Amino acid sequence: MALERPLYISEQAKILRDSLATWATPLGGKAVIVYSLKDLWEQASINSQVPRVLICYNGSRPRGSFAVANALNREDRDWIVVLTRGRGYNTIRGDTLSENTGVEPLYDWVEQLRDFIRNIKNISEETPCVDYSGIKPMQMGNLVIDGYQITFSTANEISKPL
């Protein structure tokens, strides 16, 4: 599936933000583009009782071996999308993950968001548009945040060398 022209990273980020906002907004949440991995962690640590979808560009890798990478003019762009939501006030802390405690279980939201991301169109040169990598809890060393990260990549044309 070829795009009309190569997308800038900024355009992809806005497509992701606008698409994911259509998932988050009806739940009272929002989707935002974060500046860096540091900003991602700072934003994820904000306590909120509504879903927050954080979008972070996590670099890119040239497609192909050294001998052909420049000729292919394609890269795989890596993205991290994080879903956070406060735990609320429950006797058993884990209930908000798997029980309906006035809002859907967080695990269900993580899966809904994953499926939503996997079906976003027009952000990649290949089908499927999103190469889903996985879901894992947000953890960096000993620091743990109440949220889950969904990782994926897209295949994108890059401009030819001058």
Side-chain angles (χ1 to χ4, degrees):
M1 169 193 124
L3 299 172
E4 289 182 27
R5 62 173 179 73
L7 289 176
Y8 289 110
I9 297 164
S10 61
E11 293 173 304
Q12 272 188 297
K14 288 188 284 188
I15 290 169
L16 287 168
R17 179 199 59 208
D18 295 347
S19 296
L20 297 176
T22 65
W23 179 84
T25 302
L27 299 169
K30 62 182 179 177
V32 296
I33 300 166
V34 298
Y35 187 79
S36 63
L37 288 172
K38 181 179 185 284
D39 189 33
L40 176 73
W41 277 88
E42 288 172 356
Q43 295 267 346
S45 64
I46 295 171
N47 190 11
S48 172
Q49 296 306 307
V50 297
R52 300 184 75 239
V53 178
L54 309 171
I55 301 147
C56 183
Y57 170 65
N58 197 33
S60 63
R61 296 163 279 120
R63 180 69 69 87
S65 67
F66 178 80
V68 298
N70 266 347
L72 289 177
N73 295 313
R74 188 161 286 187
E75 67 183 3
D76 293 316
R77 293 182 184 162
D78 296 320
W79 296 91
I80 300 171
V81 170
V82 168
L83 174 63
T84 66
R85 179 189 77 189
R87 284 188 236 145
Y89 302 102
N90 295 291
T91 306
I92 302 172
R93 292 175 68 185
D95 279 357
T96 58
L97 297 170
S98 58
E99 305 292 330
N100 188 329
T101 57
V103 293
E104 289 183 73
L106 183 59
Y107 286 156
D108 292 356
W109 279 4
V110 170
E111 287 186 295
Q112 289 171 23
L113 189 59
R114 175 206 56 208
D115 295 343
F116 194 91
I117 290 168
R118 292 181 65 221
N119 286 292
I120 294 174
K121 306 293 183 223
N122 300 319
I123 60 169
S124 181
E125 297 288 341
E126 298 176 359
T127 302
C129 285
V130 169
D131 185 15
Y132 166 70
S133 301
I135 298 171
K136 62 183 178 180
M138 287 206 59
Q139 182 173 350
M140 182 169 66
N142 291 332
L143 179 63
V144 178
I145 290 180
D146 292 328
Y148 287 85
Q149 60 185 16
I150 302 168
T151 55
F152 60 95
S153 63
T154 58
N156 295 93
E157 290 293 319
I158 56 177
S159 58
K160 293 181 171 49
L162 301 175

